[in-house]
Amino acid sequence: MNEEVPAVKDDAVHPAARGAGHPALTGCPWHDVNEMLQAAGLRPTRQRMALGWLLFGKGARHLTAEMLYEEATLAKVPVSLATVYNTLNQLTDAGLLRQVSVDGTKTYFDTNVSAHHHFYLEHNHELVDIHDSNMMLSKMPDVPEGYEISRVDMVVRLRKKR
């Protein structure tokens, strides 16, 4: 059962997360976040709206829960770190964010939910999209009976030359 990595099927991606990662934007971040949440079946609470505005209002981003919590605190958004984690997990489950784990110790949330891979810059703990569309895995492992591959995440770790 060794084969090339299957492309992500468009129907496997939540409608709110299609295209460049999200529905067509109107230019009004508050309206756009409201539409995104509703299209994903999430109630647009004040906290979800505020965190969504911070997440999606600045283009494609990679954030940890702690980074978003810090941004929310600076923006005077009254949320707890637990609420940030819960919201990020809800947005991920709804298909609006993509979770990327690095070393099993750090989890980033990516606003770009399209199929892509990442560089991890070790010196400053930054996650960066790999824009090479020619990159591919040539063989996949045999999958146990009753399972299928849902997606493949590749993180290429980079460090400065010594």
Side-chain angles (χ1 to χ4, degrees), residues 53-125:
W53 183 76
L54 290 171
L55 276 166
F56 302 111
K58 299 177 183 177
R61 309 179 68 200
H62 304 95
L63 296 167
T64 64
E66 292 78 10
M67 292 164 71
L68 182 58
Y69 176 72
E70 186 176 323
E71 280 190 22
T73 301
L74 291 172
K76 307 281 191 245
V77 175
V79 292
S80 67
L81 183 57
T83 297
V84 170
Y85 270 105
N86 289 337
T87 301
L88 288 170
N89 287 321
Q90 291 163 352
L91 294 173
T92 300
D93 291 344
L96 296 174
L97 292 175
R98 183 175 173 189
Q99 207 170 4
V100 181
S101 294
V102 178
D103 270 352
T105 58
K106 256 202 189 319
T107 299
Y108 288 84
F109 294 88
D110 190 349
T111 60
N112 177 358
V113 295
S114 68
H116 66 285
H117 302 290
H118 296 93
F119 287 123
Y120 178 68
L121 309 179
E122 292 179 338
H123 70 283
N124 65 352
H125 309 287

Side-chain angles (χ1 to χ4, degrees), residues 130-150:
I130 295 176
H131 296 288
D132 186 352
S133 61
N134 296 320
M135 194 176 94
M136 72 169 80
L137 296 174
S138 60
K139 293 190 177 196
M140 293 299 296
D142 291 336
V143 178
E145 184 72 31
Y147 289 89
E148 66 182 2
I149 296 171
S150 64

Side-chain angles (χ1 to χ4, degrees), residues 3-9 140 149 151-152:
E3 57 190 71
E4 288 188 15
V5 177
V8 175
K9 291 183 236 162
M140 293 299 296
I149 296 171
R151 89 176 190 217
V152 175

